[in-house]
């Protein structure tokens, strides 16, 4: 189990760009066997946003509608674009930003692609301004401290006010 499911939640895990990983896997490219090809391929396939900015949003909405998950816990991680964040806000989702910027060298080349802007801090800033719909959980030290922060947030969501 994961941190959130260990806290007693049934969770379905999705990504906006799941189709990218599926396409790369169909070509025999995985993070494990060809990490540099995987990253370049993922960034290249992500460029579909320039032609159809809502492609991944509509894919996610179809998944949620088809699976009946609109009323359940769905963990959608790796939110990389502002339209993805706005889509989730529009669905009434609880937005959790994991802030690990103190452990990251955001000036490194890997963080210079447009898809990394959220990781450089944009996402954290936007979550801080969402009121009750958003929360920022720090992950700048050991895993046990991070687990406690996640558990505390889950427990507050589980117990009625």
């Amino acid at each position: 189990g994961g941190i959130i499911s260990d806290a007693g939640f049934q969770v379905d895990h999705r990504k906006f760009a799941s189709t990218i990983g599926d396409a790369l896997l169909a070509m025999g490219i995985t993070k494990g066997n060809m990490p540099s090809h995987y990253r370049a391929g993922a960034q290249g396939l992500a460029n579909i946003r320039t032609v159809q900015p809502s492609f991944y949003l509509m894919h996610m909405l179809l998944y949620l509608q088809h699976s009946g998950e609109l009323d359940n816990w769905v963990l959608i991680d790796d939110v990389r674009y502002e339209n993805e964040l706005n889509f989730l806000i529009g669905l009434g989702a609880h937005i959790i930003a994991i802030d690990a910027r103190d452990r990251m060298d955001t000036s490194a080349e890997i963080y210079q692609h447009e898809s990394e802007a959220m990781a450089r801090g944009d996402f954290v800033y936007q979550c801080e301004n969402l009121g009750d719909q958003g929360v920022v959980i720090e992950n700048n030290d050991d895993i046990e401290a991070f687990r406690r922060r996640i558990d505390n947030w889950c427990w507050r969501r589980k117990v009625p006010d």
Side-chain angles (χ1 to χ4, degrees):
I3 294 171
I4 294 175
S5 59
D6 288 350
F9 292 94
Q10 296 288 23
V11 179
D12 182 22
H13 182 203
R14 298 296 299 170
K15 295 178 184 291
F16 277 101
S18 293
T19 53
I20 291 174
D22 294 344
L24 292 169
L25 182 60
M27 292 183 271
I29 300 171
T30 68
K31 283 184 183 179
N33 72 1
M34 290 190 255
S36 63
H37 286 80
Y38 185 90
R39 183 163 193 80
Q43 289 176 345
L45 290 171
N47 286 335
I48 195 168
R49 287 179 176 87
T50 60
V51 176
Q52 179 50 269
S54 64
F55 177 81
Y56 295 105
L57 307 181
M58 295 304 102
H59 185 266
M60 180 62 73
L61 183 60
L62 287 172
Y63 168 79
L64 293 171
Q65 289 172 333
H66 178 72
S67 67
E69 294 293 344
L70 284 172
D71 295 322
N72 298 316
W73 281 83
V74 179
L75 174 65
I76 301 172
D77 73 348
D78 207 16
V79 175
R80 292 178 172 262
Y81 292 90
E82 192 167 347
N83 70 337
E84 295 173 350
L85 177 60
N86 292 333
F87 172 82
L88 294 172
I89 291 167
L91 288 177
H94 295 282
I95 310 299
I96 304 169
I98 306 301
D99 184 3
R101 290 176 294 168
D102 288 353
R103 294 187 299 117
M104 299 166 44
D105 176 7
T106 56
S107 66
E109 183 178 340
I110 193 170
Y111 292 109
Q112 301 317 304
H113 186 267
E114 68 172 14
S115 67
E116 301 294 344
M118 294 295 224
R120 290 192 306 266
D122 295 1
F123 189 67
V124 170
Y125 173 77
Q126 291 183 35
C127 281
E128 289 172 336
N129 294 299
L130 286 175
D132 291 340
Q133 195 174 352
V135 65
V136 177
I137 299 175
E138 191 178 307
N139 184 20
N140 289 308
D141 43 29
D142 65 85
I143 189 66
E144 288 308 315
F146 179 59
R147 278 185 165 274
R148 283 191 303 276
R149 288 185 195 101
I150 295 286
D151 288 344
N152 288 339
W153 182 82
C154 289
W155 183 251
R156 285 194 309 273
R157 300 301 313 160
K158 204 173 187 181
V159 178
D161 293 332

